[in-house]
Amino acid sequence: MCDSNSLRKGLRVLVVDGDADSRDLLMALFEDYEVSTTTATCVSEALESMQQACPDLLISEIVLPGEDGYSLMSQVKAWKTTQRTRIPAIALTVCAEESAQRRAIAAGFCQHLPKPLDIDELIATMACLTQETQETAETASYAKL
């Protein structure tokens, strides 16, 4: 089981949300955990940011100006294929219905969290996803030996 204590310091997170207050809240929260946060307001900014510095984790609102979070995830999946890297992603949304959760997972998000956020759940989810990714990468590197 993962908890906030297992969240890796120096983790690089890209937060994509059209709402400035939501971005600011997450940045302030992550600062307490010594997480490096980059923000974007839309899909094009997010993709540009990812090309400049590949994040360890993507957290995206589903409802974005212009293209939505599902479109972002589709493009991230295509980008990951060419870059040969796995970026775990968490979907945030005000839609808490099970159908919204299924759609987010089907789109490629690893986890779906409804707003308003449960901070402890978010931090634990981040810790679990990044720990799983790190373990997978380590296993893959051992396999190459």
Side-chain angles (χ1 to χ4, degrees), residues 16-99:
V16 186
D17 199 314
D19 180 64
D21 290 338
S22 293
R23 289 190 312 271
D24 292 345
L25 172 71
L26 290 175
M27 282 184 68
L29 170 68
F30 296 158
E31 200 172 280
D32 291 342
Y33 289 91
E34 299 180 38
V35 168
S36 174
T37 309
T38 304
T39 62
T41 61
C42 62
V43 171
S44 61
E45 283 181 18
L47 294 172
E48 183 178 318
S49 179
M50 289 181 71
Q51 290 174 354
Q52 292 173 3
C54 185
D56 299 312
L57 179 68
L58 170 67
I59 299 176
S60 180
E61 167 64 71
I62 294 297
V63 179
L64 297 168
E67 297 176 84
D68 61 20
Y70 303 119
S71 175
L72 171 61
M73 201 61 224
S74 172
Q75 294 177 61
V76 166
K77 284 173 25 181
W79 183 79
K80 286 190 304 189
T81 300
T82 63
Q83 298 298 313
R84 300 183 197 280
T85 187
R86 180 176 183 265
I87 304 167
I90 299 172
L92 304 179
T93 182
V94 294
C95 300
E97 297 87 27
E98 190 176 321
S99 61

Side-chain angles (χ1 to χ4, degrees), residues 88-142:
I90 299 172
L92 304 179
T93 182
V94 294
C95 300
E97 297 87 27
E98 190 176 321
S99 61
Q101 182 177 10
R102 282 194 308 270
R103 184 171 179 202
I105 300 303
F109 287 96
C110 300
Q111 193 64 253
H112 168 276
L113 299 177
K115 287 183 177 179
L117 287 174
D118 176 326
I119 301 301
D120 293 333
E121 181 181 17
L122 173 61
I123 298 299
T125 300
M126 292 170 63
C128 282
L129 289 176
T130 55
Q131 183 177 339
E132 289 169 8
T133 302
Q134 186 173 0
E135 288 170 359
T136 301
E138 289 171 359
T139 302
S141 68
Y142 289 138

Side-chain angles (χ1 to χ4, degrees), residues 4-19:
S4 61
N5 294 326
S6 60
L7 187 61
R8 182 168 45 96
K9 290 181 174 147
L11 183 71
R12 296 169 310 185
V13 177
L14 173 59
V15 173
V16 186
D17 199 314
D19 180 64

